[in-house]
Amino acid sequence: MNTLNNRQQKEVEIVNNLHFITIKDLANTLNVSEMTARRDCAQLANQGLIKQVYGGITSNIPGKTPNYIVDSEIKKNTIIKEKIAAKAISLLAKDEVFFLDSGTTAAAIAKLLPRDSSYTIITPSFLAIELLVKLDQSSIICPGGIYLNKPRVFYNQESANLLRQYRASKCFIGATGFDINQGITCGYFEDVPLKQAMLDCSQERILIIDSSKFDKVSTCVFTNLTTFSAIITDEGIPQAYRDFITSNGIKLYIA
């Protein structure tokens, strides 16, 4: 293993402390160019000291950035997620077109939609589609692709491009982490272009997130707070995040 210089030792320390950081933020923290930070990170990743992921770099210490596993998440905070889902549904108008993200809170929306609902729902989520097929009056659009079991989504390189062919009045987007400094994150890099496509093609962007995800950082950054027009969460949200959201002019719904 090559000997690390002082800057590289500091980079490893920063990543291990924060769990995740973008190349740009790392460069700014150390007052170096992004090219220098990127070159250092490539070397550190080759030595197994950090991991390069979509959107930045993450710790390589076991347990620092656990992957989001749908099968285990389904059993967590079920009542809270259904309250968030019910609030989301209350914002929908008849015949509305909306994007529905992957994840268990989005799946709760699919579960609670009345059987006679009349919507056009665009989603890459297999978990949601399993629940949406009960709807007699709604149309369901899926971009297709390879089925990925852990995040329960359909994905290939064209999936995001296919999503971008559609336009919706709303999107409901989930996240596995929301940190004031590090942004809004998810657990799998395949989710990132799908989420970004749905955000870019929606008039109203709504984050659906339970309070256990605040002050957490997952593997991949996909956007920041100001992308959203509204956030639906539960009463467990920390006061610092209430203040941060409302001070940025984002509508906050407590389910």
Side-chain angles (χ1 to χ4, degrees):
M1 180 179 293
N2 296 331
T3 302
L4 303 183
N5 60 40
N6 290 337
R7 184 183 65 246
Q8 291 170 327
Q9 291 175 4
K10 184 64 175 176
E11 287 165 340
V12 173
E13 180 183 343
I14 290 170
V15 175
N16 287 340
N17 286 338
L18 294 178
H19 313 330
F20 177 90
I21 190 170
T22 65
I23 293 290
K24 181 178 180 180
D25 287 344
L26 181 64
N28 290 338
T29 300
L30 296 173
N31 196 28
V32 298
S33 69
E34 288 188 40
M35 183 178 295
T36 296
R38 196 177 303 278
R39 184 172 58 246
D40 282 351
C41 289
Q43 179 183 331
L44 296 171
N46 286 337
Q47 295 185 41
L49 298 173
I50 62 172
K51 290 189 290 187
Q52 292 179 301
V53 297
Y54 192 101
I57 49 178
T58 187
S59 172
N60 206 22
I61 298 175
K64 283 289 186 179
T65 53
N67 277 340
Y68 174 90
I69 307 297
V70 170
D71 286 342
S72 61
E73 287 293 322
I74 288 174
K75 304 171 186 177
K76 296 179 181 178
N77 302 320
T78 304
I79 295 175
I80 289 173
K81 290 174 183 177
E82 290 190 354
K83 287 182 178 180
I84 292 170
K87 181 59 184 179
I89 292 170
S90 75
L91 301 178
L92 291 169
K94 184 180 179 182
D95 298 324
E96 194 157 10
V97 179
F98 65 93
F99 287 107
L100 185 61
D101 195 13
S102 60
T104 53
T105 306
I109 294 176
K111 176 183 176 182
L112 294 183
L113 285 170
R115 190 181 186 90
D116 60 352
S117 299
S118 178
Y119 302 114
T120 298
I121 306 163
I122 310 162
T123 180
S125 170
F126 177 78
L127 189 62
I129 291 170
E130 284 185 300
L131 297 164
L132 291 171
V133 292
K134 68 180 181 182
L135 304 182
D136 297 327
Q137 306 299 321
S138 293
S139 299
I140 304 165
I141 300 171
C142 176
I146 299 169
Y147 173 63
L148 304 177
N149 190 51
K150 287 184 178 179
R152 297 279 189 93
V153 297
F154 292 102
Y155 173 80
N156 61 28
Q157 291 183 342
E158 292 302 315
S159 299
N161 292 334
L162 289 170
L163 285 173
R164 290 181 183 277
Q165 294 181 11
Y166 299 99
R167 296 294 182 269
S169 54
K170 289 184 177 70
C171 66
F172 296 103
I173 303 295
T176 54
F178 184 161
D179 182 87
I180 288 174
N181 296 314
Q182 301 302 318
I184 301 175
T185 53
C186 61
Y188 293 94
F189 75 88
E190 296 93 345
D191 273 340
V192 172
L194 302 177
K195 291 175 184 289
Q196 291 175 339
M198 291 185 282
L199 287 166
D200 289 346
C201 297
S202 300
Q203 293 177 318
E204 189 174 354
R205 306 171 183 94
I206 302 169
L207 178 65
I208 47 174
I209 183 170
D210 71 77
S211 60
S212 70
K213 306 300 194 306
F214 289 102
D215 217 24
K216 300 286 178 62
V217 178
S218 197
T219 309
C220 306
V221 173
F222 67 90
T223 194
N224 56 47
L225 171 66
T226 55
T227 301
F228 293 98
S229 51
I231 294 176
I232 308 175
T233 188
D234 60 271
E235 60 187 11
I237 177 176
Q239 186 62 47
Y241 282 86
R242 290 178 186 250
D243 296 341
F244 180 62
I245 291 165
T246 55
S247 67
N248 278 276
I250 312 299
K251 188 175 294 184
L252 179 62
Y253 295 103
I254 304 298

